Amino acid sequence: MSWQGAIETTVKGLGYELVDAEKSAGGLLRVYIDHVGAVGVAARFITVEDCEKVTRQLQHVLEVEGCAYERLEVSSPGLDRPLKKAADYQRFVGEQIELTLKLPFKGRKKYRGELQPGEGGWCLLLGEAGGAEPDQQALDFSLDEVREARLVPVIDFKGRRFAPQSDATGEAGGQVATLAGKEVHGGRIQ
């Protein structure tokens, strides 16, 4: 069995999805894993424990299979997860992606927009998320035309993006709290 086959079988057997595996000239074997079908707000993230579990199993499997490597790294694909397979595109329909084409189209290779299924392939709705403009442009493409595609990272440091905000009276607005005897309005100490 090849090292790629051994890795894919092991990762799937542990209940994870193999996003990518690469081997460098220096003997580094890098494996990217994700939870199967995890997408959206409720998606679970890959933890250190997940990486440790896969690393320990891969060390044993690769030794038994006789696959040579100097160092093994197992990690999550990150916030800008690459889209490699047709299943990845299907899983992330409706998400914002950055797309790089192999050949330029109208003088450009790089595009950013919302991924949608298209006629016989895929479609990228160009512009901002949720833009329901009647004259919104779309780029139809097939996977053969793609050099690279990645999710656009969504970073929310407050962690409350989807939580409704209300004040003490129940009206919409900033929340009022006290901190060491001082009032806090929407994150500012008064």
Side-chain angles (χ1 to χ4, degrees), residues 121-135:
W122 297 96
C123 178
L124 193 63
L125 300 178
L126 305 176
E128 292 298 315
E133 305 158 16
D135 61 340

Side-chain angles (χ1 to χ4, degrees), residues 87-99:
D88 294 338
Y89 286 83
Q90 186 62 43
R91 176 176 165 187
F92 292 106
V93 165
E95 297 289 329
Q96 289 284 312
I97 68 166
E98 290 180 346
L99 179 75

Side-chain angles (χ1 to χ4, degrees), residues 150-168:
R150 291 184 169 277
L151 291 177
V152 173
V154 177
I155 301 171
D156 182 22
F157 291 110
K158 292 185 179 183
R160 297 183 209 157
R161 188 171 82 175
F162 299 102
Q165 291 186 354
S166 62
D167 60 15

